[in-house]
């Protein structure tokens, strides 16, 4: 019928556009890899740095993440500042254990009792920044795990005075086995390595650099933060990492995407937890990069190719198109997930790519249907990037 033909034409157009995106993502991945492999050896630069880690709650892999920061082979001095809402925080016991295991490390606790805005995390960071000893600061989440050369790789970029922020790619690590590794946690981790980072690398190539930060690593200086008005204006924003990068780039500084990869822990999500997290990320991105987010819909080439097969009545040509798209999608997943991130989970869960992409397209469409997000168990309304309690 005419309607079926029209639908097949639309899905075919979207599939071809998605295929073009996948080819662009492969080119962007190659560009990023060449940038770091061909980078001339930089002059040694290891400024003293304060690592700021706001903490709320506790999880099974948190301590190892803390300990990885204490094992740094770094030429400069560094301190680790942990911020808590109150002295009743259960993670304080883990910090005391950390102090006893690494007595040579400068580890401090800051009680962040003031509530300066809707975002408790940024509110804590404002108060922690006041206590930081050093000019350079590095902010990352409490569950981040890093290599012994992490600080060296991140901070050496500041040898270039034009760099105002350094951020880093990351992988989501699930439990090795058992109840800690659910289908939903595997889909989450797969999406980070094969969907999220390819989008970041493509934006980096098209925009000739990135204009935002990733919460896995936000390294900057007090001087740069002062030029963007400090952290206080970010206390009402959900995507504080994105906003910080936007403002630093807007102040004329360069934001560097480092070649050092870090790990974050993916919880043993139920479907509800997976849904809430995906919608929070989707709606946050929607408000932060509105027109880019609208265009994100075409990047789900595999679901569009599957829909084309259905709409065309399983025509032979649609299966040819599906095969080409599947090949390109797997190439992106392997080149980024394995080639750049060295994430072995991608090989284990590669068969889940079509499922992950179908959910991705579904959440992208669903994100336009409301402005409510769930963050740490609390519900918020999101408008123009700012959050208010629901």
């Amino acid at each position: 019928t005419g309607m079926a033909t029209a639908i097949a034409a639309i899905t075919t157009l979207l599939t071809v556009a998605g295929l073009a995106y996948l080819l662009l993502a492969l080119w962007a991945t190659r560009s990023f890899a060449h940038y770091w492999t061909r980078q001339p050896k930089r002059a040694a630069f290891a400024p003293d740095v304060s690592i700021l880690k706001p903490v709320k709650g506790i999880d099974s892999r948190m301590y190892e993440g803390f300990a990885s920061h204490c094992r740094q082979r770094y030429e400069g001095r560094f301190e680790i500042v942990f911020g808590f809402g109150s002295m009743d925080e259960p993670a304080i016991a883990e910090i005391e254990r950390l102090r006893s295991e690494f007595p040579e490390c400068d580890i401090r606790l800051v009680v962040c009792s003031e509530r300066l805005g809707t975002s408790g995390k940024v509110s804590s960071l404002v108060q922690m920044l006041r206590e930081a000893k050093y000019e350079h600061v590095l902010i990352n989440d409490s569950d981040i795990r890093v290599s012994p050369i992490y600080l060296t790789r991140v901070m050496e970029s500041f040898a270039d005075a034009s760099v105002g922020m350094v951020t880093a790619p990351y992988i989501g690590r699930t439990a090795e086995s058992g109840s800690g590794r659910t289908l939903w946690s595997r889909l989450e981790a797969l999406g980070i390595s094969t969907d999220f980072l390819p989008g970041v690398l493509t934006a980096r190539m098209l925009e000739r650099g990135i204009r935002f930060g990733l919460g896995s690593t936000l390294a900057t200086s007090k001087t740069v933060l002062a030029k963007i008005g400090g952290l206080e204006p970010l206390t009402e924003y959900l995507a504080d990492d994105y906003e910080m990068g936007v403002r630093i780039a807007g102040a004329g500084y360069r934001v560097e995407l480092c070649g050092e990869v870090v790990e974050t822990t993916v919880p043993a999500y139920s479907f509800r937890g997976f849904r809430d997290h995906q919608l929070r990320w989707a709606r946050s991105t929607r408000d932060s990069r509105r027109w880019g987010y609208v265009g994100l819909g075409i990047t789900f080439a595999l679901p569009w190719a599957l829909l084309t097969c259905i709409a065309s009545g399983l025509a032979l040509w649609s299966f040819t198109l599906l095969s080409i798209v599947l090949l390109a999608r797997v190439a992106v997943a392997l080149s980024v997930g394995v080639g750049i991130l060295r994430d072995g989970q991608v090989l284990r869960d590669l068969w889940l790519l079509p499922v992950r992409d179908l959910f991705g397209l579904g959440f992208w469409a669903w994100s336009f249907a409301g402005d409510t997000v769930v963050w740490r168990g609390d519900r918020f309304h999101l408008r123009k990037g700012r959050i208010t309690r629901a």
Side-chain angles (χ1 to χ4, degrees), residues 47-53 74 77-79 81 108 125-126 128-140 150-151 154-155 158 164-167 217-226 231 244 248:
D48 299 340
V49 57
S50 297
I51 302 173
L52 309 184
K53 296 185 79 70
Y74 187 61
R77 293 177 297 177
F78 69 95
E79 64 168 348
V81 182
R108 292 195 291 135
L125 285 171
V126 170
M128 295 162 70
L129 186 62
R130 297 171 188 162
E131 303 295 326
K133 291 180 185 177
Y134 303 124
E135 163 67 8
H136 284 85
V137 293
L138 187 155
I139 300 165
N140 63 20
Y150 169 67
L151 272 185
V154 170
M155 301 309 294
F158 289 108
M165 172 183 276
V166 181
T167 192
T217 297
L218 299 167
T220 185
S221 69
K222 292 178 179 178
T223 298
V224 171
L225 288 176
L231 296 175
M244 193 187 307
I248 289 174

Side-chain angles (χ1 to χ4, degrees), residues 60-61 172-190 265-270 343-349 351-352:
S60 59
R61 301 189 69 210
R173 181 68 65 189
T174 64
E176 293 301 320
S177 61
S179 60
R181 191 179 81 189
T182 66
L183 170 64
W184 311 111
S185 65
R186 292 165 71 182
L187 291 176
E188 173 87 9
L190 188 64
T265 300
V266 177
Y269 281 125
S270 62
D343 183 3
Q345 298 171 130
V346 171
L347 292 173
R348 181 195 69 196
D349 293 331
W351 66 278
L352 288 171

Side-chain angles (χ1 to χ4, degrees), residues 210-283:
I210 63 172
R211 308 283 188 271
F212 50 86
L214 308 178
S216 59
T217 297
L218 299 167
T220 185
S221 69
K222 292 178 179 178
T223 298
V224 171
L225 288 176
K227 288 187 177 180
I228 65 166
L231 296 175
E232 287 84 351
L234 307 182
T235 56
E236 302 299 334
Y237 282 88
L238 177 61
D240 54 272
D241 49 358
Y242 175 86
E243 287 292 331
M244 193 187 307
V246 165
R247 292 165 191 237
I248 289 174
Y253 291 98
R254 193 155 59 84
V255 179
E256 180 87 288
L257 180 63
C258 182
E260 180 71 4
V261 179
V262 305
E263 288 185 13
T264 185
T265 300
V266 177
Y269 281 125
S270 62
F271 172 72
R272 182 176 180 178
F274 173 66
R275 177 204 66 192
D276 288 346
H277 188 262
Q278 289 292 306
L279 279 177
R280 175 164 65 85
W281 178 85
R283 286 174 176 160

Side-chain angles (χ1 to χ4, degrees), residues 31-42:
S31 172
F32 180 72
H34 278 208
Y35 175 75
W36 283 105
T37 55
R38 296 182 177 182
Q39 192 75 262
K41 186 172 177 58
R42 298 184 177 188

Side-chain angles (χ1 to χ4, degrees), residues 276-318:
D276 288 346
H277 188 262
Q278 289 292 306
L279 279 177
R280 175 164 65 85
W281 178 85
R283 286 174 176 160
S284 170
T285 308
R286 179 199 69 189
D287 277 23
S288 298
R289 294 171 64 88
R290 186 166 293 275
W291 290 112
Y293 185 75
V294 171
L296 186 67
I298 69 167
T299 68
F300 299 104
L302 202 49
W304 290 125
L306 289 168
L307 289 171
T308 299
C309 287
I310 296 169
S312 68
L314 306 181
L316 181 60
W317 64 265
S318 68

Side-chain angles (χ1 to χ4, degrees), residues 18-19 22-23 25-26 29 190 193-195 198 299 301-302 322-339 346-347 349-354 357:
L19 179 60
L22 291 173
L23 297 176
L26 283 172
T29 302
L190 188 64
S193 293
T194 67
D195 183 26
T299 68
L302 202 49
L322 174 61
S323 300
I324 295 169
V325 167
L326 182 60
L327 181 64
R329 181 69 180 98
V330 170
V332 169
L334 294 178
S335 62
V336 179
V338 179
V346 171
L347 292 173
D349 293 331
L350 195 62
W351 66 278
L352 288 171
L353 265 182
D357 287 0

